[in-house]
Amino acid sequence: MTTISIKQTQNPLILKFEFPDFITNNESFEFKNIDETKSSPLAKELFFLPFVKTVYISGNFIAIERYSIVEWEDVQDAVAEQIQNYVANGGKIINIEENSSKKQPITVYGETTPNPAALKFVVSRLLTKTAFEFKNIDETKPSPLAKELFNFPFVKEVFIDENYISVTKYEVADWNNITLELRTFIKQFIENGGTVLDESIAIETKKHEKQQIKNFDSLDTTSQQIINILEEYVKPAVAADGGNILFDSYDETEKRVKVVLQGACNGCPSSTFTLKSGIENMLKDMLKDEDIKVEAING
C-alpha cells in the first residue's frame, strides 16, 4: 500500500499529503468545489468531507485547505488513511483523458515596473499562492520554468508570485528586443503543461519568511504591528509593481526595521525613495514613533 506522508505548510489551514512518487504529469490542479472535480475522482470524494474548502493536486502531493470548523490535528490521520485506501483500491487521482481534452490556452502580457531592468509578465491564471525568488539557475530546483528562463543569456533574476513572473535582465539587452521572445516562451511553456512551480520541493527549499504565522505570536508587539502594516498597506502596492517585501527584523534599541525587497523592487532605482518617503513615513505615523528607520537588506 502507498504510504502517505503528512506535511505542514506555511498556511495553517492547508495541509499536504505527500506520495512517494509523482502523481501528475507536470501539471497542477486546483478545485474549489465539487462541481469542478470532473477531471479528478479523488478530489470529488474529498469534497464529501464537510471541512474541505479547496483541493490542490500537483507533483507528488495533494494539498487540502480546510474550513475552520475543525483542526487538522483532529482529522489529518483519517484523511491520510482515506486517500491511501482510495488509491489502494484502484481509485483514479486524475482522469488523464478528461483533463487532456480540457486543455485551455492562456494569455500572457508584459507590464512595465518602476524598475527599468525588470518586466512583469502577467498570466491569465493563478501560478502560486506563495512568492518565490530565484537569483541564479542553481536555485531553480523548485521551478522548471525559472530554470528554462535562466537559459536566456540576458536573464539575471526571476521572481514568481500569484499570476505573474517578474524577469530582471542584464543591461546588455533592450526590452524592445527581448519582450516578445520571453512572452512567447512563457506562454508556450505553460500551455504545453510545463511546471511553473513544484510546491512539494518549493516549500522545503524556500527561505522561510520571519512573519510565518507559526512564528508571529512569539514576536514582540511592535514587530507584529509592523508586519500587519506591511501586509495590509505595502505588499499589495509592491505586488502591483511586480515585487514583494518581507519583514526581516526590528531592533527596539535602534528603532531600525529591516526588510527584504524581492522581484522588481530589488535593485530598483526608486526603491530607496519608496522606503524612506513611503514605508518609513507610514510606519512613523501609524506607530506614533518619529525615530523609526527602515532599511533594505539583500534578499
Side-chain angles (χ1 to χ4, degrees):
M1 178 181 289
T2 300
T3 302
I4 305 293
S5 301
I6 300 173
K7 298 288 181 67
Q8 291 184 339
T9 71
Q10 292 181 328
N11 185 337
L13 296 177
I14 299 177
L15 201 65
K16 292 202 309 180
F17 299 88
E18 290 189 354
F19 289 73
D21 301 303
F22 283 91
I23 57 175
T24 67
N25 185 23
N26 293 324
E27 294 182 87
S28 299
F29 305 88
E30 179 178 352
F31 306 100
K32 291 188 173 296
N33 56 63
I34 198 168
D35 291 336
E36 297 180 354
T37 60
K38 191 175 180 182
S39 62
S40 176
L42 174 55
K44 182 177 181 179
E45 289 295 319
L46 291 172
F47 273 108
F48 287 116
L49 299 171
F51 54 82
V52 171
K53 181 179 181 181
T54 311
V55 176
Y56 309 92
I57 301 177
S58 179
N60 70 328
F61 70 89
I62 295 167
I64 299 175
E65 181 179 7
R66 64 171 171 82
Y67 287 107
S68 55
I69 57 173
V70 299
E71 295 296 332
W72 272 124
E73 60 185 24
D74 297 326
V75 298
Q76 62 185 37
D77 292 335
V79 174
E81 184 178 357
Q82 179 176 336
I83 295 173
Q84 282 187 174
N85 291 336
Y86 177 88
V87 174
N89 292 325
K92 282 190 175 182
I93 297 174
I94 294 292
N95 281 331
I96 298 176
E97 301 83 3
E98 176 65 32
N99 179 61
S100 61
S101 66
K102 289 180 64 177
K103 202 168 192 178
Q104 296 292 326
I106 62 164
T107 57
V108 178
Y109 65 89
E111 201 173 83
T112 57
T113 76
N115 185 349
L119 199 65
K120 178 180 176 182
F121 292 91
V122 183
V123 182
S124 60
R125 82 176 198 197
L126 183 69
L127 302 175
T128 177
K129 290 189 175 182
T130 307
F132 291 93
E133 182 178 46
F134 306 98
K135 290 186 171 295
N136 55 64
I137 197 168
D138 291 337
E139 297 179 353
T140 59
K141 185 179 179 183
S143 176
L145 173 58
K147 183 177 182 179
E148 291 297 323
L149 287 172
F150 275 108
N151 287 327
F152 290 95
F154 46 76
V155 171
K156 183 179 181 182
E157 295 179 13
V158 178
F159 177 75
I160 303 174
D161 192 15
E162 295 184 342
N163 68 325
Y164 68 87
I165 298 129
S166 284
V167 176
T168 303
K169 68 174 180 65
Y170 287 104
E171 292 183 6
V172 293
D174 187 288
W175 282 123
N176 291 327
N177 299 326
I178 63 176
T179 299
L180 179 60
E181 182 180 8
L182 283 174
R183 184 182 71 80
T184 302
F185 175 81
I186 291 170
K187 175 179 167 65
Q188 292 179 347
F189 182 92
I190 297 175
E191 283 184 340
N192 290 331
T195 300
V196 177
L197 275 168
D198 184 344
E199 298 282 349
S200 63
I201 300 175
I203 293 298
E204 295 167 6
T205 60
K206 182 178 178 292
K207 299 172 184 174
H208 291 296
E209 301 173 16
K210 292 290 180 70
Q211 67 269 40
Q212 288 181 79
I213 294 175
K214 63 183 180 183
N215 294 335
F216 183 85
D217 292 338
S218 64
L219 296 173
D220 61 273
T221 301
T222 304
S223 292
Q224 292 179 347
Q225 291 175 322
I226 292 169
I227 290 169
N228 288 333
I229 292 170
L230 293 177
E231 290 289 326
E232 184 171 355
Y233 298 100
V234 181
K235 276 199 174 187
V238 297
D241 288 335
N244 191 31
I245 185 170
L246 306 178
F247 172 82
D248 180 80
S249 61
Y250 171 66
D251 187 310
E252 190 171 5
T253 303
E254 297 184 357
K255 299 293 182 72
R256 188 181 306 278
V257 180
K258 292 185 178 181
V259 297
V260 177
L261 298 178
Q262 294 181 317
C265 296
N266 186 21
C268 177
S270 62
S271 62
T272 301
F273 177 81
T274 301
L275 283 172
K276 295 300 178 184
S277 300
I279 300 170
E280 188 173 284
N281 287 343
M282 179 186 295
L283 291 176
K284 286 180 178 179
D285 179 59
M286 299 185 79
L287 296 175
K288 310 298 183 190
D289 189 340
E290 287 298 317
D291 295 325
I292 291 283
K293 299 178 285 289
V294 178
E295 70 176 49
I297 61 176
N298 189 358

